[in-house]
Amino acid sequence: MPFLATLQRTWQLTRASWTVLREDREVLAFPLLSGFCCLLIAASFILPIYHFNLWTLAVSYTEPSAGETTLWLYGLLFLFYLGTYFITTYFNAALMACATLHMIGRPATVEDGLRIANRRIGAILGWAFISATVGVVLQAVQERASWLGSLLVGLAGLAWALASFLVVPVIVVEDCTAREALKRSTTLIRQTWGEQVTLNVGFGLLTALVALPFVAVVAVVWVSAPQSALAYGVSLLAGAAYIAATVVVTALQSIFRSALYLYVRHDRVPFGFTAASLGDAVEPRTS
């Protein structure tokens, strides 16, 4: 079955990515820092809105007569997207830089990853700008579209995710602009069958499977002892454990994308992976 085959390939690539991560565990600092900084950015937007009681303004943007409000909120949304995309891309680039160096046999530290990300800061900011623009446009169209339009927007979002799948590793390795990285990523994807889509879904399913035990434990405790100190304590511990697990999964997915780029772009089998596993992930076009 295609679904089971996707899970099997995802598991194989997860194990290969874990081999790399196990040799360079300090890169886990990058998704942790990324998550912390994104929380700070979210707070910098949410707290002023709450303090100045702008929630009614935020709700009213759906009214047809609230054109100025809509533009104001879309501008705010763009700034939020720009900040979060910049932070996530920056730390992702640092992680991929370390992973790439390690997979080609060169030891790397957190400082090495940050240094490379700093050198690519212009391209990272450019990519954050492009991503934020696309995100706002898709959001605006989806909010005004029918169910069919929402479906088409979803497909457009999926196509965008596929085309940009290798943008960050391209920026890290080739030191090019954001536009050039997007063109290169699109070209590389076109040269393959695009199994990256199903594998990306597979990593999403992996994240969901990681979340299930924590959700189940919290649900059982709250049903047994609702609003008790035990329930709050268990929820706090489960939340912390889930964040830690998500950090690991995020790092594994970034390592996989770096390995995939090395295999597709440079025909090189990275450390920890095999030609068979990566060959299953990206099959060359025959037509």
Side-chain angles (χ1 to χ4, degrees), residues 19-282:
T19 300
V20 179
L21 180 61
R22 189 174 54 193
E23 298 291 327
D24 197 11
R25 295 178 185 177
E26 63 180 10
V27 300
L28 289 173
F30 294 127
L32 276 174
L33 289 171
S34 178
F36 177 74
C37 291
C38 285
L39 285 176
L40 291 180
I41 290 176
S44 70
F45 280 85
I46 294 174
L47 292 179
I49 290 176
Y50 177 80
H51 178 74
F52 293 107
N53 195 25
L54 297 177
W55 293 113
T56 53
L57 182 62
V59 172
S60 66
Y61 87 100
T62 56
E63 297 297 328
S65 61
E68 294 183 1
T69 303
T70 301
L71 292 176
W72 181 84
L73 279 172
Y74 281 141
L76 196 63
L77 182 64
F78 173 80
L79 292 177
F80 175 73
Y81 279 171
L82 181 64
T84 53
Y85 278 126
F86 174 77
I87 290 297
T88 54
T89 304
Y90 175 82
F91 286 111
N92 219 5
L95 192 159
M96 290 184 181
C98 288
T100 300
L101 288 173
H102 187 82
M103 286 187 290
I104 63 176
R106 294 174 55 187
T109 64
V110 169
E111 290 76 14
D112 293 325
L114 292 174
R115 183 170 60 254
I116 294 174
N118 288 335
R119 291 175 180 172
R120 312 292 193 264
I121 200 75
I124 291 172
L125 181 59
W127 179 241
F129 183 88
I130 293 173
S131 299
T133 302
V134 172
V136 170
V137 170
L138 291 178
Q139 180 73 19
V141 173
Q142 186 172 27
E143 288 174 352
R144 288 163 172 74
S146 61
W147 68 268
L148 180 58
S150 297
L151 177 61
L152 294 176
V153 170
L155 293 175
L158 182 61
W160 171 253
L162 175 60
S164 60
F165 193 78
L166 298 176
V167 164
V168 179
V170 169
I171 289 175
V172 168
V173 176
E174 301 188 19
D175 191 16
C176 56
T177 65
R179 290 181 60 186
E180 291 170 344
L182 179 59
K183 290 180 181 178
R184 169 60 64 186
S185 175
T186 303
T187 299
L188 293 174
I189 296 301
R190 286 176 177 173
Q191 292 172 354
T192 67
W193 282 112
E195 277 287 317
Q196 298 90 334
V197 175
T198 55
L199 290 170
N200 214 23
V201 171
F203 274 103
L205 291 174
L206 178 61
T207 304
L209 290 175
V210 168
L212 283 178
F214 303 112
V215 173
V217 169
V218 171
V220 169
V221 172
W222 273 88
V223 169
S224 304
Q227 296 185 348
S228 65
L230 176 63
Y232 285 111
V234 170
S235 298
L236 198 61
L237 290 175
Y242 173 66
I243 290 173
T246 303
V247 165
V248 174
V249 172
T250 300
L252 293 174
Q253 188 174 17
S254 296
I255 291 171
F256 160 65
R257 289 169 66 186
S258 299
L260 188 65
Y261 166 77
L262 289 175
Y263 182 76
V264 174
R265 178 72 176 90
H266 301 283
D267 196 23
R268 184 169 188 166
V269 180
F271 165 79
F273 291 80
T274 64
S277 62
L278 290 173
D280 289 339
V282 183

